Amino acid sequence: MKTVQDLVAAAKGRIREIDHAELDAMRAKGAPLVDVREPGEFAQGRIPGAVNIPRGVLEFEVDGHPAVNCAKDPALSHRELPVILSCRSGARSALAAAALKDLGFAEPVSLAGGFMGWANAGQPVER
């Protein structure tokens, strides 16, 4: 029987995690930052410029599934380009990056430490 920690560890073994400097460099090249936390978490504080697509609907937003009114999110519209994923601590974003990799995304990456690591390092936060 697996635990959620097992699932996260397996996901982290399949994807690449990035640090704050890499996040800034990738964003400077146009990579979108998708925050997969719930809307209430996102509203309390976020990395400036992040787009909120909750983990529960992420895969559905890739191809415009009926569960999301057949709408595609522009942040997920190019599978061949990098996409950065963030959450509270780096666990949900690792799972999200692994899911996007399974859906054919060339370079989904997860922010190590997530939003809390970002904020605790004194990086800018938008409210």
Side-chain angles (χ1 to χ4, degrees):
M1 188 159 130
K2 290 185 181 183
T3 66
V4 71
Q5 292 83 2
D6 295 332
L7 293 176
V8 171
K12 286 185 177 189
R14 298 182 47 227
I15 56 111
R16 186 166 72 91
E17 289 188 292
I18 62 169
D19 61 18
H20 304 152
E22 280 186 275
L23 180 141
D24 289 337
M26 289 179 74
R27 290 191 70 199
K29 293 178 182 175
L33 172 60
V34 176
D35 188 318
V36 299
R37 295 177 298 155
E38 293 299 312
E41 294 174 284
F42 185 77
Q44 292 176 8
R46 62 198 159 274
I47 298 171
V51 173
N52 184 223
I53 306 174
R55 175 72 189 96
V57 297
L58 181 72
E59 293 90 334
F60 296 111
E61 296 239 359
V62 171
D63 292 316
H65 189 276
V68 291
N69 296 323
C70 299
K72 294 181 185 183
D73 194 289
L76 299 174
S77 63
H78 302 287
R79 288 183 173 155
E80 67 280 359
L81 299 175
V83 61
I84 306 161
L85 298 133
S86 173
C87 65
R88 181 182 177 278
S89 66
R92 282 179 281 179
S93 58
L95 293 170
L100 291 184
K101 189 171 188 172
D102 288 344
L103 289 172
F105 280 74
E107 193 179 354
V109 300
S110 176
L111 177 63
F115 174 75
M116 295 305 296
W118 175 269
N120 290 339
Q123 298 293 328
V125 171
E126 207 172 65
R127 300 210 187 274

